Amino acid sequence: MGSPIIKKWSDQTYPGFEDFKNYVESCDVISYKNDEVHRDNSNNDCIWFRDASSGRAQSDMEYVLNTPKFRHYHNLMPAGTDPAVAFCQLMVLQYRSKLELMGESGTYLIRFSVWANTYTQKNEAQLSQKVNFSYSADDKSFHNMIICL
């Protein structure tokens, strides 16, 4: 039986991760659509997320990326964290038990079946200081991402 973990990168995590992890675990984090986050230990050896409901204009991942909760958690991560990596990091922390990752700690290279190409559209009101971002994503395929546990 395989594992989506490709390699343990380090026993360490980034500075502040333990506080971030404790905070995320103490909050009502974003739940993925119908909790359809799975660990595939067959030939694909990956963590995968349910595809968009038929007839919807956006994927379930895009829906999560465009929630205020996601933006809040993403802003707490290190500057420059890619939205797709931030999404995977949050989902791994949210579904740690379901994904059989409870005994792991450190930094890992993990294989995901995820929409890794995320696009940020900036909607800036001309006479205000408010800037709104919206995300879209495509290219669901296998991608390796560095995630902390």
Side-chain angles (χ1 to χ4, degrees):
M1 178 161 47
S3 171
I5 295 174
I6 296 170
K7 175 182 181 179
K8 185 168 188 175
W9 211 260
S10 171
D11 288 328
Q12 301 298 313
T13 57
Y14 61 81
F17 175 74
E18 285 302 314
D19 290 335
F20 173 74
K21 180 180 80 164
N22 292 336
Y23 176 63
V24 167
E25 290 174 347
S26 73
C27 295
D28 177 25
V29 182
I30 303 162
S31 295
Y32 196 71
K33 181 77 172 177
N34 297 325
D35 293 330
E36 292 192 41
V37 176
H38 302 276
R39 180 173 171 157
D40 179 0
N41 289 335
S42 65
N43 294 333
N44 296 329
D45 295 335
C46 69
I47 293 174
W48 63 270
F49 305 94
R50 177 183 180 272
D51 289 331
S53 304
S54 60
R56 286 191 47 198
Q58 60 181 203
S59 71
D60 294 320
M61 178 183 165
E62 288 171 319
Y63 173 79
V64 168
L65 291 177
N66 287 300
T67 62
K69 275 187 176 182
F70 173 79
R71 289 188 177 111
H72 169 70
Y73 292 118
H74 188 197
N75 286 332
L76 297 175
M77 293 181 188
T81 300
D82 180 82
V85 172
F87 171 81
C88 291
Q89 178 68 74
L90 282 173
M91 293 299 107
V92 165
L93 291 176
Q94 171 74 20
Y95 295 102
R96 189 178 181 130
S97 176
K98 182 176 183 177
L99 297 172
E100 302 169 23
L101 297 171
M102 291 302 290
E104 307 293 343
S105 68
T107 304
Y108 294 84
L109 183 64
I110 299 179
R111 182 177 168 111
F112 290 90
S113 177
V114 70
W115 301 265
N117 293 338
T118 53
Y119 306 98
T120 307
Q121 291 80 39
K122 186 176 181 181
N123 181 10
E124 195 169 354
Q126 203 159 11
L127 299 174
S128 110
Q129 295 192 10
K130 184 174 183 178
V131 177
N132 295 316
F133 294 97
S134 62
Y135 294 105
S136 60
D138 70 7
D139 183 34
K140 185 173 186 187
S141 58
F142 299 109
H143 300 278
N144 300 334
M145 301 201 181
I146 298 173
I147 302 296
C148 295
L149 295 170

